[in-house]
Amino acid sequence: LSGTHAAEHQTVHAIERGVPLQPEFVRKMPRAHPRCGTNLVALALLCQIAISHLPSYEPHYVLGALLFVFLAWRNFGTFLQEKFTTKPATQKQLQSGIRAGEEILRKYQEQPHVVGSFGQRLWNSGIVLCVAGGISVMYVFEYLFRWWISLQT
């Protein structure tokens, strides 16, 4: 799965740079992509860590934490992609990524360019589901933590 993930990223990089979709060119593209969902996870993790470790919620602490997150989240996301969510793609995975990229380009050329509403674009970006999932996980862990504490007393 992580090899296929890398092949997708490399294919997207090739498309964005106008490089031919051939294995010898696509293989040279980076495995990490700046618009990967892993970057959203990195952003959420850094926000959670930074805000939960503030000594107080005074404005200068909050602004400092947000500045730290703003400066670090893309690098952290790239680190996560390179070390955990991607690995070098096999030839078969690279070919699959290239076929998918060619199909996307073909479909894009066949259909008229339509821009959806702001709500549609926001929903399709996945950020709403990521936030909802993050909040749900936090509530589940909070519930489990309180339950575990109640067992201890």
Side-chain angles (χ1 to χ4, degrees):
L1 186 60
S2 57
T4 302
H5 191 199
E8 292 168 350
H9 285 184
Q10 291 172 301
T11 302
V12 170
H13 274 296
I15 290 169
E16 292 173 343
R17 295 175 185 181
V19 174
L21 292 181
Q22 297 170 356
E24 61 270 14
F25 297 113
V26 174
R27 184 172 300 286
K28 295 177 184 175
M29 298 292 117
R31 292 190 336 242
H33 195 275
R35 289 183 306 281
C36 178
T38 303
N39 283 343
L40 293 175
V41 172
L43 177 63
L45 282 172
L46 286 177
C47 284
Q48 177 65 28
I49 291 166
I51 297 300
S52 66
H53 287 85
L54 288 176
S56 73
Y57 290 114
E58 292 179 31
H60 62 280
Y61 287 125
V62 174
L63 287 174
L66 293 176
L67 180 63
F68 166 75
V69 169
F70 177 75
L71 294 174
W73 75 284
R74 290 266 184 184
N75 290 332
F76 184 50
T78 298
F79 170 79
L80 290 176
Q81 289 178 64
E82 290 174 351
K83 300 297 180 193
F84 299 104
T85 65
T86 67
K87 69 176 185 179
T90 64
Q91 186 68 19
K92 184 177 178 182
Q93 291 166 329
L94 208 55
Q95 295 275 350
S96 176
I98 290 170
R99 278 193 309 275
E102 290 170 341
E103 183 177 344
I104 287 171
L105 289 173
R106 182 183 52 76
K107 286 183 178 183
Y108 179 77
Q109 294 297 327
E110 291 174 356
Q111 297 182 6
H113 185 67
V114 178
V115 177
S117 68
F118 174 75
Q120 287 174 319
R121 292 192 324 266
L122 182 65
W123 180 259
N124 290 338
S125 74
I127 190 104
V128 174
L129 294 174
C130 287
V131 169
I135 290 170
S136 299
V137 168
M138 286 187 334
Y139 277 113
V140 167
F141 279 119
E142 177 72 18
Y143 174 78
L144 291 174
F145 179 72
R146 290 178 187 269
W147 173 74
W148 183 75
I149 293 294
S150 71
L151 291 179
Q152 303 301 313
T153 57

